[in-house]
Amino acid sequence: MKAHIRTYGCQMNERDSENIAANFVERGWSITNNEDEADAIIVNTCSVREQAENKAIGKLGHLINYRNFTGKNLPVIGVTGCMAQNRGGQLVKILPGLDFVAGARKTHKVADIAEQIYRQKLTGRVPVAPVVDVSDDLTSHLNIDKHYPLARSSKVCAFVSIMQGCQMNCSYCIVPKVRGPMRSRPTADIVAEVRALVDSGVKEVTLLGQVVNAFGIERRAPGKVSEFVDLLERLNAIEGLQRIRFTSPHPSFFKDDLIEAYGRLEKLCQYVHLPLQSGSNSILRAMNRPYRAEDFLRIAERLREKVADMSISTDVIVGYPGETPEDFRQTVDVFKQAAFDMAFIFKYSPREGTKSAQQPDDVPESIKDQRNKILLEILGEQSMRFHENMIGRTFDVLVEDRAKRGQDMFMGRTRNHRKCIFKADESYIAKTVNVKINSATVTALSAEIVG
Ligand code: 5AD
Ligand code: SF4
């Protein structure tokens, strides 16, 4: 039996899909990239913006139509992730033929559900009633430690989910509704998982969570040190592990002890993705983001003081309800002052069930487009400047895999997460090499190995 898994959305979803794949493999299934030969197709979905939901619904409709066209009752077609949680049973109504809906807190059950339906369908007893499971599961975070790398280019880098859920309740965000409250995994489980990954050849881990630096906060005694920094220290001590990254932290939990960890913990890489969302304090307040633009800039400044070549990327939403030209001007200012070298700019999209969806979506689409374009242009200049500053210098790069293009060309990242392309051979994979940067584009650096 073969399963095909298609993933939309964030790295948490990519990681959940790896766990789903591992559950299939444990049951004796194999994983295929080719949906035409699959016995089960799983679509792992995102709800953060309306467009993401529409894309996944379109894909599911297409898969079901194609199966109808072939006249067969296989493959099993199921949906999981945030949209599955958000829309639940409604999906089997708008997508007749869909075999199951398993919510974002049920991803660890997906292989089980898919296999049961597969067996029922094999016996020919059709139609099989669709299964909908979007019930709460507050222990789902204890079942997310299995690995089967899917989309990532290499076996050298691994994602590790350290928590699930979020309770920050940013006014625009659907995540707390679909993923539930914050649940942090036990530190010892995470350390054991990373040790096992390192034993299997992994050199770099990226810790994942919706508010990753609030790890453990729901169980921490007041006044105790941050469990997140404690976790970083424990991981830093694992022999054979070379690099530690994490995403996404929240500015409100980026305290001095975390800033101090940079430089002190030698495996912690000098790259951070720190979502700003807006540079206007009144918009931040409306968004229920409990920090001010100046607090954000102080974190960025201190990180830059602490470590050389610190790379900082961000998320920004343009066109939030009531965003005036002055609010946007402040966002542009902060965007420049923080000197982001990478960013995701999103046009505000109202999500049903969130607080801001009760307000009119009053910034016209054309203005959202314009603001989006302005930030993208500034970003292009800032990324290029960051890259140009690296030309002629030497950096250590962890060689991940072959590059997408070019014979004998390989890909690896610097500690500050810049993508380098250089000539090498297979024997370099998983090794750390020194490369000299020769030239740059906005997205990648062209380099040569010098040691
Ligand atoms: N509209 C636009 N962007 C959003 N994000 C979250 N919710 C919305 C929304 N309703 C963005 C935020 C977040 C990123 C993952 O998606 O910037 O950091
Ligand atoms: Fe959404 Fe805010 Fe939680 Fe991030 S911190 S997942 S934006 S509610």
Side-chain angles (χ1 to χ4, degrees), residues 317-323 328 346-348 361-363 368 371:
I317 298 176
V318 292
Y320 184 82
E323 186 186 64
F328 180 65
F346 302 106
K347 289 188 277 177
Y348 173 71
D361 179 15
D362 58 0
V363 178
K368 286 183 189 168
R371 293 179 182 171

Side-chain angles (χ1 to χ4, degrees), residues 16-84:
D16 287 345
S17 289
E18 293 178 344
N19 205 58
I20 295 170
N23 286 333
F24 271 110
V25 171
E26 246 178 26
R27 284 170 170 72
W29 290 57
S30 58
I31 305 297
T32 174
N33 283 330
N34 179 359
E35 60 188 36
D36 291 337
E37 61 173 31
D39 303 295
I41 301 181
I42 313 301
V43 181
N44 190 2
T45 57
C46 170
S47 269
V48 163
R49 282 166 295 278
E50 196 177 355
Q51 203 191 5
E53 288 208 349
N54 292 341
K55 238 195 206 159
I57 291 175
K59 179 68 196 171
L60 285 160
H62 197 76
L63 289 170
I64 294 166
N65 282 343
Y66 183 72
R67 191 184 61 193
N68 291 345
F69 169 74
T70 63
K72 298 188 186 136
N73 68 348
L74 283 170
V76 172
I77 299 173
V79 57
T80 186
C82 291
M83 184 189 63

Side-chain angles (χ1 to χ4, degrees), residues 271-295:
Y271 163 66
V272 68
H273 179 76
L274 190 58
L276 168 69
Q277 311 300 3
S278 171
S280 149
N281 285 340
S282 62
I283 295 290
L284 285 172
R285 215 171 307 122
M287 286 176 162
N288 195 28
R289 301 276 298 179
Y291 54 90
R292 293 161 306 166
E294 48 272 35
D295 304 326

Side-chain angles (χ1 to χ4, degrees), residues 260-275:
E260 294 303 323
Y262 284 86
R264 180 169 68 86
L265 304 179
E266 75 282 1
K267 295 178 186 173
L268 189 56
C269 289
Q270 49 268 61
Y271 163 66
V272 68
H273 179 76
L274 190 58

Side-chain angles (χ1 to χ4, degrees), residues 160-297:
V160 174
S161 282
I162 66 168
M163 53 151 42
Q164 288 188 327
C166 178
Q167 55 212 32
M168 295 307 290
N169 290 324
C170 299
S171 62
Y172 50 83
C173 184
I174 199 156
V175 168
K177 178 179 160 200
V178 293
R179 295 235 171 203
M182 202 182 318
R183 284 107 54 211
S184 302
R185 293 175 61 199
T187 298
D189 289 6
I190 300 165
V191 173
E193 181 178 336
V194 174
R195 278 219 178 93
L197 285 167
V198 170
D199 287 345
S200 75
V202 164
K203 309 279 185 212
E204 175 181 306
V205 290
T206 302
L207 310 178
L208 299 179
Q210 303 291 351
V211 200
V212 73
N213 56 340
F215 171 77
I217 209 153
E218 75 278 27
R219 61 185 179 219
R220 186 177 100 193
K224 278 273 183 66
V225 293
S226 149
E227 278 209 32
F228 183 62
V229 175
D230 176 60
L231 175 66
L232 292 177
E233 279 172 9
R234 285 166 199 253
L235 298 181
N236 194 65
I238 294 177
E239 208 173 311
L241 181 66
Q242 288 180 4
R243 293 173 165 196
I244 305 168
R245 305 185 189 280
F246 56 84
T247 199
S248 288
H250 189 296
S252 300
F253 299 99
F254 223 104
K255 300 286 191 236
D256 286 352
D257 60 345
L258 181 51
I259 295 173
E260 294 303 323
Y262 284 86
R264 180 169 68 86
L265 304 179
E266 75 282 1
K267 295 178 186 173
L268 189 56
C269 289
Q270 49 268 61
Y271 163 66
V272 68
H273 179 76
L274 190 58
L276 168 69
Q277 311 300 3
S278 171
S280 149
N281 285 340
S282 62
I283 295 290
L284 285 172
R285 215 171 307 122
M287 286 176 162
N288 195 28
R289 301 276 298 179
Y291 54 90
R292 293 161 306 166
E294 48 272 35
D295 304 326
F296 187 98
L297 284 170

